[in-house]
Amino acid sequence: MNENVTVFSHPLIKHKISQLRDETCKTKEFRALVEEISMLMGYEVLRDLEMEEIEIKTPLETTMAPIIKGKKLALVPILRAGLGMTGGILSLVPSAKVGHVGMYRDEETLEPKEYYCKLPEGIDQRMILIVDPMLATGGSADAAVQFVKQKGGKQIKFVSIIAAPEGVERLSSAHPDIQIYCGEIDRELNKNGYILPGLGDAGDRIFGTK
């Protein structure tokens, strides 16, 4: 395994991903599970946020206490499915700024097409989490990371719930300077670019569309 790729082993993450996979999981439950998994993953992904000490006054005395330093975090979901992961991470860091990258996949070439990219100011000074529940071919992830870099992003992490080996390989090869976090790496892609065994189309299942 590439040292820049982390696959989570926490039992709660594994359990909730298994619930996501079940075809009987309804939209409301699916959406809640995606948010819960994102929060659990975010706890570990954000372990290396830079800290500094400030002076505060407790009810008993003045003391030095650690806080997150600087401009902190930018959360960048890949539209639309990535939106399902934002709530869980924002529950950990409510002050995080949120940008968006809009991508869609050409059904014939399976390659990504960009239609929107807007990022918070000071993006070059922030830790950036690009999130998408599925890392399949890696095309959209590759393009999203490239867009963020073009806007000045430097400290980038990519977070997905389920990934295919092909997507992990493409993203890590194209961007060896970023960290990749996955809840699970599944077996393979099928001929249509869907992850197997996977969980179907994450966007459709989060938003109740076909």
Side-chain angles (χ1 to χ4, degrees), residues 51-66:
M51 306 293 292
E52 64 180 344
E53 288 203 337
I54 63 168
E55 185 178 281
I56 62 170
K57 191 175 188 307
T58 77
L60 299 174
E61 64 179 36
T62 299
T63 187
M64 300 300 292

Side-chain angles (χ1 to χ4, degrees), residues 16 19 28 39 48 50 61 73 87 102-103 111 113 118 142 164 170 194:
K16 291 176 185 294
Q19 291 179 301
K28 180 180 179 181
M39 181 176 64
D48 59 347
E50 191 174 357
E61 64 179 36
L73 182 67
M103 313 281 299
E111 289 301 306
K113 303 290 184 181
K118 186 164 186 178
D142 180 1
R170 175 169 176 173
Y194 282 92

Side-chain angles (χ1 to χ4, degrees), residues 135-155:
L135 175 55
T137 66
S140 294
D142 180 1
V145 171
Q146 190 59 47
F147 295 148
V148 171
K149 286 182 174 179
Q150 289 170 357
K151 297 286 188 178
K154 297 181 177 65
Q155 189 181 0

Side-chain angles (χ1 to χ4, degrees), residues 91-112:
S91 67
L92 296 174
V93 192
S95 62
K97 305 299 183 184
V98 181
H100 299 87
V101 174
M103 313 281 299
Y104 69 91
R105 186 167 66 169
D106 186 293
E107 293 300 325
E108 293 185 4
T109 66
L110 302 183
E111 289 301 306

